[in-house]
Amino acid sequence: MTDDPANKVLANYTQAFAAAVPTVIGCFAVHFGIVAVFKALARDSTWRAKKGTHVAELVAYNGTIFLFDLMAAYVGIKAYLDGTATALSGSMHDRLYARSAAFEPLCQLTIAFECYNFLICLWITEYRQIEMLGHHLTTCTLATLSTHPFCHYYGFFYFGGSMISSAPLCLMDICTALRERLASAAWLSDTVLRPLFALLYFIIRVGAWWYVTIGYWTDCVGILLDGTAHSTPAVLFFLGANGFLSALQVLWAYKIGRRAYTTLFKIPYVKKGAPNEKKAD
């Protein structure tokens, strides 16, 4: 029956996913456009990273992510500054179920970008990591389910404002890809971008993330306990997914902190599992 609430919700998810398809195509267009321009300027088909990927692909991937991060962060931060997010914060149910017209384009943008992100990470060896693929798939699923509507208030942070912390990382990865042949890229990465990324990460992904997450869990558990959740399995999935993403924030914070510590105290940085190298006398 078309009036079945479950069918309506499914139709809503399908519509949101379909609406994101043109943006997915746009992401790939930007990616391959950057690849074409880079290869035309570099005129060197042998310029490849250690794992064999052409540097143009790495520059294009991170360039596309950088543009997305700026757009998503703009929407999220603007929502906090102009009161759009605050208008959804009245009560527990407002924070979880109030619909925001300003959030829906961000939701579709996130769905599209994470589809692109997942597929590109399957393709590019350097980014074919289980935690990265899991992150992209989980975020895409959450963005799709958020169109119910659900968690628009919190989504302005998770899908929007928090993305500003990733922008320096994109530029840092571009510099890493170019540093072998461009000395200024190494200087820019090590002197400016790496400290900026670490600072923003700990402010946003450690400090602000956990502040927002405590409120998010409090509200979700609240609607589960009082029986007003639209779907108990859906809310439990959101909590589980948030727990997974939060665990990744901790893992990456540890890696960034360890790297920062070894840099500040001039301790040689050795990746886990890498053999110890001794300098010849």
Side-chain angles (χ1 to χ4, degrees):
M1 294 179 63
T2 56
D3 291 335
D4 186 351
N7 287 339
K8 289 184 177 180
V9 171
L10 182 60
N12 190 44
Y13 294 158
T14 304
Q15 183 180 5
F17 210 87
V21 170
T23 308
V24 176
I25 296 173
C27 288
F28 278 101
V30 170
H31 179 100
F32 290 117
I34 295 175
V35 169
V37 171
F38 187 94
K39 287 185 175 180
L41 294 174
R43 297 181 180 179
D44 186 354
S45 60
T46 65
W47 193 357
R48 296 183 177 275
K50 292 180 180 179
K51 295 185 178 181
T53 304
H54 196 287
V55 168
E57 297 288 353
L58 301 179
V59 171
Y61 173 59
N62 285 287
T64 304
I65 297 176
F66 178 72
L67 294 176
F68 165 78
D69 286 344
L70 292 184
M71 289 188 290
Y74 170 78
V75 175
I77 294 172
K78 181 176 181 293
Y80 284 104
L81 294 178
D82 66 14
T84 300
T86 305
L88 308 177
S89 65
S91 68
M92 174 176 69
H93 288 88
D94 289 337
R95 291 189 292 273
L96 293 178
Y97 290 110
R99 179 185 292 275
S100 171
F103 178 74
E104 291 174 354
L106 176 60
C107 216
Q108 292 179 357
L109 179 65
T110 302
I111 294 170
F113 171 71
E114 294 300 352
C115 286
Y116 155 82
N117 217 347
F118 182 82
L119 294 173
I120 287 292
C121 284
L122 283 176
W123 180 22
I124 298 179
T125 308
E126 283 78 358
Y127 296 100
R128 196 183 302 150
Q129 302 169 10
I130 188 65
E131 67 267 26
M132 299 296 289
L133 294 170
H135 175 276
H136 303 325
L137 185 60
T138 300
T139 306
C140 181
T141 304
L142 289 174
T144 304
L145 296 179
S146 293
T147 60
H148 177 264
F150 189 62
C151 295
H152 285 195
Y153 169 75
Y154 290 106
F156 278 120
F157 174 78
Y158 288 125
F159 298 150
S162 68
M163 302 309 296
I164 194 64
S165 65
S166 300
L169 178 61
C170 299
L171 299 179
M172 198 168 75
D173 282 352
I174 290 174
C175 289
T176 298
L178 299 176
R179 66 190 300 154
E180 185 177 318
R181 301 192 186 185
L182 195 63
S184 58
W187 177 88
L188 180 62
S189 175
D190 296 341
T191 308
V192 179
L193 296 174
R194 194 178 297 278
L196 177 60
F197 168 63
L199 178 64
L200 287 177
Y201 190 93
F202 278 95
I203 291 175
I204 297 173
R205 299 284 181 153
V206 177
W209 181 282
W210 287 101
Y211 175 79
V212 173
T213 296
I214 290 172
Y216 174 70
W217 274 73
T218 300
D219 286 345
C220 286
V221 171
I223 61 172
L224 289 174
L225 292 178
D226 68 13
T228 57
H230 67 291
S231 167
T232 296
V235 175
L236 290 176
F237 174 80
F238 267 86
L239 289 176
N242 182 266
F244 168 69
L245 295 176
S246 296
L248 286 181
Q249 309 310 312
V250 174
L251 173 64
W252 293 333
Y254 166 75
K255 291 182 177 181
I256 294 168
R258 179 170 175 260
R259 184 63 180 263
Y261 178 82
T262 56
T263 300
L264 287 173
F265 293 96
K266 309 299 181 183
I267 301 172
Y269 177 76
V270 179
K271 289 186 178 180
K272 187 176 182 180
N276 291 324
E277 297 181 358
K278 295 183 179 180
K279 292 184 179 180
D281 293 331

